[in-house]
Amino acid sequence: MSRSKGWELVCIGCGTAAETELPDSTCRKCGDLLEIRVTKDIDTGSLFDGKGPGIWRFRQALPFAPDVEPVSLEEGGTPLVRTGRFAARVGLPNLYAKNDGQNPTGSFKDRGMSVAVTRAKTLGAKALICASTGNTAASLAAYAAKADMEAVVVVPKAGVASGKLGQAFAYGARVFGIQGNFDRALATVFDLVRKDDRFYLMNSVNPFRIEGQKVTAFEIYEQLGGVPDYVVLPVGNAGNISAIWKGFKEIRSLGIADTVPRMIGVQAEGAAPLAAVVSSGTPFTPLKEPHTIASAIRIGNPVSWKKALKAIEESGGNAIVVNDDEIIEAKGRLAQEEGLLVEAASAAPFAALVRLKLPRDARVVCIATGNGLKDLAEHGGEQRIETAGDSNFIANSIGLKRRSMRQHRETD
Ligand code: F0G
């Protein structure tokens, strides 16, 4: 493999270097997952001074030659918001939310999609395909539109949030439904890409997706002014935890920081095969019928589980489980105490804080992976419109004390 290219593809299982990715993004020799090693020299002094839209500010650390034109919707660069009332209640004054719901299509997927679609374009791929619980589908559809490429998304026929499906249709993707869950949809997509080379795989086994998502770590480091003690995030197919860990490890190996955070993966009870391995040490066993209200992470056979396990073990982290009631409660509190509307899957890490009992002085970053606007019907508490006859009715219904007009003027 030529180092001159500035990066190489290496199998995480047998260490074999690959000349280019196979259509299914796995190792030609042993079938395990591939990852990218960036081998070019990175100027640490200017890494954070890069120009460009969103994640492309860090293109020094991305696997592309300088002349490659990014397919970008200005993804990344999302706010790191310090929480207040929520933080106080869980006893973590230094609790931050990385609000990735503010990405162009409303989830963190856009970071990786920008990079992987850019790669697909340079390869001359014909049709981009993914299996999805919704967000990947929406993101792929948007980036394919921007790149003027065909997008094909395969989703479980039931249970995908209507907002996410609506996005996929609006951006012009072909949408196929599978009788069964996400794992079946992904198996179908693998089957297709292995036998038909017109399709290029865009799930997070595609190592270019991981490169885009690793930038989240660079941004957190910059926004926090250092490395957090813990990064807590939802785990579905297990790509994002692997990606963010990769980003922090790169910061450390570049000598920018000397510590790394502990990575805490959170799964929903009923869809927690990774947490089962971590808590009991038993071999990884896929679940046939995963269930949880958090549809985005309703996954029984996370394809990147080995990478995620490595992230947890190497970082001294953990994988834990929260139940649906805890997720719903955290989602409601985030909205009502912080003005932060996330989808159910994204509330899982916040729910986990109650169980985790982290040290009070710890700097903790939860990744708010997806925007709650995509699924407003989703267990958002009571949605009752109160009939208001007139203005007096409203005035009398809310139990606030009146202030005189004079007070208004003095305090406004
Ligand atoms: N949070 C949200 C909002 C997601 O949509 C997903 C995954 C995850 C967390 C988990 O991330 O898979 O990298 O561990 N959604 C995928 C999809 C499966 O198809 O949109 P992961």
Side-chain angles (χ1 to χ4, degrees), residues 86-87 215 245 256 284 313 374-375 391:
F86 192 97
V215 170
W245 175 236
I256 293 171
F284 175 76
E313 287 175 352
K374 289 171 180 247
D375 202 355
S391 59

Side-chain angles (χ1 to χ4, degrees), residues 108-109 131-137 164 182 204 213 234-240 296-297 299 343 345-346 369-370:
F108 72 94
K109 307 284 180 181
S132 181
T133 55
N135 281 323
T136 305
K164 299 174 186 175
F182 169 85
S204 57
Q213 290 171 211
V235 170
N237 218 15
N240 208 28
I297 52 171
I299 294 176
E343 66 167 274
S346 315
T369 49

Side-chain angles (χ1 to χ4, degrees), residues 15 19 27 34 43 100 194 229:
E19 198 51 50
C27 172
L34 299 176
D43 173 21
D100 257 9
R194 282 173 183 145
D229 299 304

Side-chain angles (χ1 to χ4, degrees), residues 224-242:
L224 205 58
V227 175
D229 299 304
Y230 296 88
V231 172
V232 191
L233 75 165
V235 170
N237 218 15
N240 208 28
I241 189 170
S242 320

Side-chain angles (χ1 to χ4, degrees), residues 265-267 271-281 312 318-321:
V266 183
Q267 294 197 295
L274 184 69
V277 175
V278 173
S279 65
S280 66
I312 289 164
N318 204 351
I320 73 155
V321 173

Side-chain angles (χ1 to χ4, degrees), residues 68-304:
V68 171
E69 186 66 33
V71 178
S72 175
L73 297 169
E74 306 212 4
E75 53 293 320
T78 57
L80 184 72
V81 184
R82 189 171 192 154
T83 64
R85 281 196 285 159
F86 192 97
R89 203 172 35 76
V90 294
L92 291 168
N94 300 310
L95 172 64
Y96 297 81
K98 178 69 171 157
N99 191 2
D100 257 9
Q102 287 201 14
N103 274 298
T105 77
S107 84
F108 72 94
K109 307 284 180 181
D110 295 342
R111 299 171 174 276
M113 209 53 81
S114 172
V115 170
V117 172
T118 301
R119 171 66 176 168
K121 199 158 187 186
T122 62
L123 289 174
K126 300 241 170 352
L128 309 180
I129 190 166
C130 71
S132 181
T133 55
N135 281 323
T136 305
S139 183
L140 172 58
Y143 284 83
K146 181 75 175 170
D148 192 15
M149 298 172 90
E150 191 84 33
V152 180
V153 306
V154 184
V155 294
K157 217 157 179 225
V160 175
S162 58
K164 299 174 186 175
L165 278 178
Q167 287 180 288
F169 286 122
Y171 295 128
R174 295 284 301 273
V175 179
F176 293 90
I178 288 283
Q179 212 70 52
N181 57 31
F182 169 85
D183 304 301
R184 253 209 85 212
L186 185 57
T188 308
V189 167
F190 266 123
D191 188 44
L192 183 57
V193 296
R194 282 173 183 145
K195 64 186 181 207
D196 188 332
D197 66 6
R198 290 172 302 168
F199 294 95
Y200 182 72
L201 180 65
M202 299 300 286
N203 281 96
S204 57
V205 280
N206 181 326
F208 288 85
R209 283 272 312 274
I210 302 298
E211 291 304 292
Q213 290 171 211
K214 79 181 180 188
V215 170
T216 314
F218 302 169
E219 292 178 11
I220 291 172
Y221 173 80
E222 186 180 40
Q223 290 168 313
L224 205 58
V227 175
D229 299 304
Y230 296 88
V231 172
V232 191
L233 75 165
V235 170
N237 218 15
N240 208 28
I241 189 170
S242 320
I244 297 178
W245 175 236
K246 188 172 193 286
F248 278 111
K249 273 201 307 189
E250 288 184 10
I251 291 178
R252 183 179 57 182
S253 64
L254 287 169
I256 293 171
D258 29 295
T259 60
V260 284
R262 292 178 193 270
M263 302 296 297
I264 313 271
V266 183
Q267 294 197 295
E269 196 175 83
L274 184 69
V277 175
V278 173
S279 65
S280 66
T282 50
F284 175 76
T285 316
L287 292 174
K288 281 210 165 54
E289 306 278 346
H291 57 89
T292 163
I293 50 125
S295 59
I297 52 171
R298 192 181 293 144
I299 294 176
N301 190 12
V303 71
S304 295

